[in-house]
Amino acid sequence: MTTGSAQSQDGACKRSQIDLGDGKVINGNCEKLKIAFLTAATNNTHLQAGIKGAQDAAKEIGATIDVFDPNWSPTVQYNQAQNVISSGKYNAIVAEMNDGNQACKILTEDAPKAGVLVAVANLPLCNRASKEGDELWSPGTLNFVGGSQGREAFRDWIMSIAAANPGPQKVAVLTGPDLNANTINTELALKDVQEKYPDFKIAAVVKTDYSVLQGNQKTLPLFQANPDLTIFISNYSDMTRGAVQAARQVGLAGKMKIYDNGGNIWSFQAVRDGLIHSTRTLLPYTEMYEAVKALGQAWNGEKTPRFVPLAAYNIDKDSVSKYEPQY
């Protein structure tokens, strides 16, 4: 696709169009990129690593970047998006939206009409949370970066847990807020897994704000009420850390297998120490770094793919020395 704007050999600004699909375009210009990063929140190490990735990439491409923290509120974040677009201060957005459906129109229609280029990462827009591959990209935006937390990724991960634990299992699952794409995909994956493995019984699904604190507070009563749990699954490492503390408090540590999704520094060490059975890596730094780099490439007239896939790896005691965590 034809993208962006670039300097001609004589130094003059050469305008071109950034193709956003479905007939939507943005006319490039030679202004410096001014990026608004609509992050989901800032209260955990995963999100902080993503912010660092976005900031590092912005520095590399000579762009400015401001971070907007909605503290997990879709309403606050939607209002932030409105203010960013209407202010005229920004010509680009990196979007990690807590409610991708609510934000669909404003980011795929209103933003391009206002000349604001949008790259989406981690959490898809427009009812695309459960899609796969190129369908994670929403026309009206530049691209989508991620996929390691899509429906297919969560399904394959939890399927592998069920396959490794045949026979009757009593399972509890810890996930994030309502409307969050990763929460949606975890719940869809659980349905898929239970259809194939009916002995893999889900006793409870508990939702949190992904923090260590809520990971502890919300699993303590869960573990007290279900001392016969055999498997515990958490789709983010910070809340896994809180859950491990709770398991110790009630005497369940070592009695159930704990599977983690996140692959941060703590979880790598927890695998080494035998506190959790395994962790699955995520790449928050890379996601946001690549999203910002794509904005820069498009602004400079370079071609960018609609979908930038990122792979995840399962880490256990046998493989923990082969990889490094990003956060």
Side-chain angles (χ1 to χ4, degrees):
M1 60 182 173
T2 303
T3 57
S5 57
Q7 299 291 334
S8 62
Q9 290 183 349
D10 61 4
C13 179
K14 185 179 179 181
R15 294 171 62 88
S16 56
Q17 289 186 329
I18 301 174
D19 176 17
L20 305 178
D22 282 359
K24 299 172 184 175
V25 298
I26 286 180
N27 291 318
N29 60 64
C30 292
E31 292 180 359
K32 183 177 181 179
L33 265 180
K34 300 170 186 174
I35 304 169
F37 182 9
L38 301 176
T39 181
T42 62
N43 68 327
N44 63 48
T45 53
H46 180 279
L47 295 162
Q48 290 155 13
I51 291 168
K52 180 68 162 56
Q55 290 171 334
D56 286 351
K59 185 176 181 180
E60 286 184 20
I61 67 174
T64 62
I65 187 165
D66 292 331
V67 179
F68 292 81
D69 176 11
N71 194 28
W72 296 111
S73 168
T75 301
V76 171
Q77 194 175 44
Y78 184 86
N79 291 337
Q80 289 173 339
Q82 283 185 314
N83 292 337
V84 163
I85 293 168
S86 65
S87 70
K89 296 178 181 178
Y90 302 94
N91 49 26
I93 290 173
V94 172
E96 184 183 37
M97 307 305 288
N98 288 303
D99 185 348
N101 298 334
Q102 180 192 48
C104 179
K105 181 180 181 296
I106 194 171
L107 293 181
T108 65
E109 297 182 22
D110 298 352
K113 285 179 183 177
V116 178
L117 182 63
V118 178
V120 182
N122 185 13
L123 305 174
L125 304 178
C126 305
N127 278 315
R128 294 176 180 269
S130 60
K131 302 293 186 182
E132 300 175 9
D134 288 348
E135 290 189 349
L136 290 165
W137 164 69
S138 294
T141 66
L142 177 67
N143 65 0
F144 177 79
V145 181
S148 64
Q149 298 181 80
R151 181 177 182 181
E152 180 182 19
F154 277 119
R155 181 178 65 234
D156 291 350
W157 174 52
I158 300 177
M159 283 283 189
S160 72
I161 296 172
N165 295 277
Q169 303 294 336
K170 186 175 182 180
V171 185
V173 180
L174 196 61
T175 187
D178 279 320
L179 306 177
N180 183 278
N182 299 331
T183 299
I184 292 168
N185 286 324
T186 298
E187 292 176 336
L188 288 171
L190 292 174
K191 291 180 181 178
D192 292 338
V193 171
Q194 287 186 285
E195 287 179 4
K196 185 171 182 179
Y197 297 95
D199 284 343
F200 198 78
K201 300 292 187 182
I202 308 299
V205 178
V206 179
K207 296 177 181 178
T208 76
D209 65 356
Y210 283 127
S211 68
V212 177
L213 180 62
Q214 285 202 2
N216 179 263
Q217 291 177 336
K218 293 199 173 187
T219 57
L220 189 58
L222 170 69
F223 293 158
Q224 289 171 330
N226 297 274
D228 56 342
L229 286 173
T230 59
I231 291 176
F232 177 74
I233 299 171
S234 169
N235 80 350
Y236 177 60
S237 296
D238 273 9
M239 59 188 184
T240 308
R241 186 173 184 173
V244 167
Q245 294 168 356
R248 284 173 161 172
Q249 288 171 266
V250 301
L252 266 180
K255 296 182 180 180
M256 62 181 176
K257 288 185 179 180
I258 298 177
Y259 292 88
D260 172 66
N261 178 69
N264 66 5
I265 293 169
W266 173 84
S267 62
F268 267 57
Q269 190 59 48
V271 169
R272 295 186 187 100
D273 294 340
L275 298 176
I276 63 176
H277 183 77
S278 65
T279 186
R280 178 176 171 271
T281 60
L282 297 179
L283 303 172
Y285 180 96
T286 302
E287 276 180 337
M288 303 309 163
Y289 179 89
E290 293 295 337
V292 172
K293 291 286 281 189
L295 290 173
Q297 290 164 355
W299 208 247
N300 288 330
E302 300 174 32
K303 291 185 177 180
T304 57
R306 298 298 196 193
F307 173 51
V308 180
L310 298 179
Y313 303 95
N314 285 318
I315 305 296
D316 57 20
K317 279 194 171 182
D318 294 331
S319 59
V320 69
S321 62
K322 299 177 183 178
Y323 299 94
E324 292 292 333
Q326 283 204 351
Y327 62 107

